Amino acid sequence: MRVLLIGSGGREHALAVGLSNDPSVDFLAAAPGNPGIAQLAELHEVKATDPAAVAALAVELSADLVVIGPEAPLVAGVADAVRAKGIACFGPSAAAARLEGSKAFANEIMAAAGVPTARSFACTSVAEAAAALDELGAPYVVKNDGLAAGKGVVVTDDLEEALIHAEACGKVVIEEFLPGPEVSLFVVTDGTAVAPLMPAQDFKRLLDGDEGPNTGGMGAYAPLDWAPADLVERVLRETVEPTLAEMRKRGTPFAGLLYVGLALTPDGPKVIEFNARFGDPETQVVLALLESPLAGLLHAAATGTLAGHEPLRWSDGAAVTVVVASHNYPGVPRTGDVIEGAERPGVIHAGTARDAGGALVSAGGRVLSVTATGADLTAAREAAYALIEGIRLDGAQFRTDIALRAVEGRITL
Ligand code: AMP
Ligand code: GLY
């Protein structure tokens, strides 16, 4: 199988590792890729959000499967353009990707499908936002309606801060605060059949102890030994199946990766957000534990044949990934800092680049993530933090407590 992977982040590097380990893949290309992906795939320059350009590249490379990593190309209609050329594509249509592209649309679908989620108000003026904040009370949850790369959400007890964010966003969704530990569940689907992946936990805040601003994600681990045994089955029944049915009913079936971000509240799992693609950095840990060939799975979802796919196989151990971010992330990150020690197995590249002299330098907010597996979570965590000790990056920021509360048995439902 000839595979073209679209994207350039840590998620795509992790996908490239999985795809290149699949014996059915005899050619792997990536566009635009990054220096880590370059070790596994032939890189091509393309504007990932240009549907015609990506479709033309897929034709030129005689791709049998295109895998789209990030949300922006999906929302722009890249999957539609690839499929119009008769090429299988893993990733939803632009119409279905609105589940991620618009919080207001996602809330409308969830209401129609009866999916458990937060009460919410879509607001277009500060006065409306103020009324909604007053109605729901603290803690306040204010979300930018459009794509914001995981940084459009402010959760705060400070009414002033909530109002300032609402004003800055323009169109906002104000939500009820959902208490309880968060879980990311990824479901591979062809629109009807589903293959749930192993639930993982992400760390959204910048600093240890879940302090500081929201980020795209600072680390992740799996499996979640503390989660209820029926979690996946329950979320499939209460959330995933009704959502997929509603999308089919509207003539816009969702095929690709449905990322369900959940809070495990005292009233059961409730949806915090949907995404239309693999999560970053959770993909790094989930794929590190997946033993089934990745390209075969994604191809089955892309061709409507997932129902006949063999059950997924998982390794017994645990995986931990820790993100190394650049100075000033999640603000405007400083770039161009030299990185040392990043060319080793388990180091997943995200915002890295080669400078004119060929040296590896930082080129984005989340620069890389170190990913390790182990017989259990304690071992995986120790291995990940041992790996990070070999990385040199001036101004680097990383959390020291990824998976720590789980290791210590301190997560309660
Ligand atoms: P999102 O971009 O929707 O994933 O939101 C980013 C983060 O904000 C989530 O991972 C949660 O930690 C937090 N968050 C968002 N919505 C809520 C909510 N309704 N209740 C509690 N926390 C939330
Ligand atoms: N890890 C959060 C996300 O991918 O949106």
Side-chain angles (χ1 to χ4, degrees):
M1 185 175 359
R2 295 175 65 82
V3 182
L4 169 61
L5 171 65
I6 302 299
S8 61
R11 160 188 49 223
E12 286 76 30
H13 190 175
L15 285 164
V17 171
L19 292 167
S20 62
N21 284 338
D22 183 334
S24 77
V25 175
D26 42 37
F27 171 79
L28 180 62
N34 66 34
I37 298 171
Q39 292 163 1
L40 304 164
E42 180 181 296
L43 296 196
H44 290 263
E45 279 192 26
V46 80
K47 191 171 168 221
T49 52
D50 181 340
V54 173
L57 179 61
V59 170
E60 182 192 320
L61 295 174
S62 304
D64 303 300
L65 174 67
V66 175
V67 176
I68 301 179
E71 60 275 19
L74 296 167
V75 171
V78 170
D80 306 78
V82 170
R83 278 192 281 269
K85 298 285 184 195
I87 298 171
C89 184
F90 183 78
S93 66
R98 288 184 71 210
L99 269 187
E100 170 164 4
S102 166
K103 304 260 182 208
F105 177 75
N107 285 340
E108 178 194 320
I109 294 292
M110 285 192 276
V115 167
T117 186
R119 283 177 64 206
S120 71
F121 297 91
C123 306
T124 50
S125 72
V126 180
E128 268 176 49
L133 291 168
D134 186 49
E135 165 75 20
L136 292 174
Y140 304 106
V141 180
V142 183
K143 300 190 176 186
N144 196 335
D145 184 52
L147 288 183
K151 285 169 267 178
V153 179
V154 164
V155 180
T156 179
D157 286 316
D158 181 349
L159 181 59
E160 188 70 13
E161 192 189 345
L163 282 166
I164 287 169
H165 187 58
E167 185 156 21
C169 294
K171 211 171 157 194
V172 287
V173 173
I174 308 284
E175 272 184 18
E176 168 197 9
F177 178 81
L178 297 177
E182 284 182 46
V183 171
S184 301
L185 176 65
F186 301 164
V187 180
V188 174
T189 176
D190 59 10
T192 305
V194 293
L197 305 186
M198 184 185 280
Q201 192 172 47
D202 181 18
F203 293 76
K204 287 267 167 63
R205 301 283 187 144
L206 180 70
L207 304 174
D208 282 7
D210 295 327
E211 303 282 346
N214 264 316
T215 69
M218 295 299 292
Y221 69 93
L224 310 181
D225 288 338
W226 48 267
D230 70 344
L231 175 67
V232 173
E233 186 252 326
R234 183 169 178 185
V235 174
L236 287 179
R237 186 179 69 238
E238 292 181 350
T239 293
V240 177
E241 309 278 5
T243 298
L244 295 178
E246 181 65 26
M247 295 301 282
R248 288 195 301 273
K249 194 174 114 192
R250 293 179 181 227
T252 53
F254 184 99
L257 195 292
L258 183 63
Y259 167 138
V260 189
L262 299 150
L264 304 194
T265 77
D267 303 324
K270 292 191 181 179
V271 176
I272 286 186
E273 63 164 344
F274 283 138
N275 291 316
R277 38 83 194 168
F278 281 94
D280 193 344
E282 300 97 307
T283 301
Q284 282 83 315
V285 291
V286 171
L287 294 187
L289 298 171
L290 180 67
E291 286 184 343
S292 304
L294 182 62
L297 173 66
L298 303 187
H299 189 265
T303 53
T305 56
L306 194 59
H309 194 271
E310 61 163 38
L312 298 182
R313 285 176 284 110
W314 297 95
S315 70
D316 288 333
V320 172
T321 193
V322 182
V323 169
V324 177
S326 42
H327 176 70
N328 206 43
Y329 178 77
V332 177
R334 190 174 77 202
T335 57
D337 287 309
V338 172
I339 310 162
E340 282 167 42
E343 271 136 314
R344 282 178 300 156
V347 180
I348 299 285
H349 290 225
T352 67
R354 298 251 172 233
D355 70 8
L360 195 68
V361 294
S362 60
R366 291 188 293 176
V367 177
L368 50 86
S369 60
V370 293
T371 307
T373 56
D376 59 20
L377 200 54
T378 303
R381 189 171 185 277
E382 278 168 11
Y385 279 105
L387 203 49
I388 222 169
E389 276 176 24
I391 306 280
R392 290 284 165 273
L393 167 67
D394 197 30
Q397 311 183 69
F398 64 88
R399 282 182 63 158
T400 67
D401 66 345
I402 302 301
L404 183 59
R405 291 182 63 223
V407 162
E408 293 175 344
R410 287 194 288 122
I411 303 185
T412 48
L413 293 169

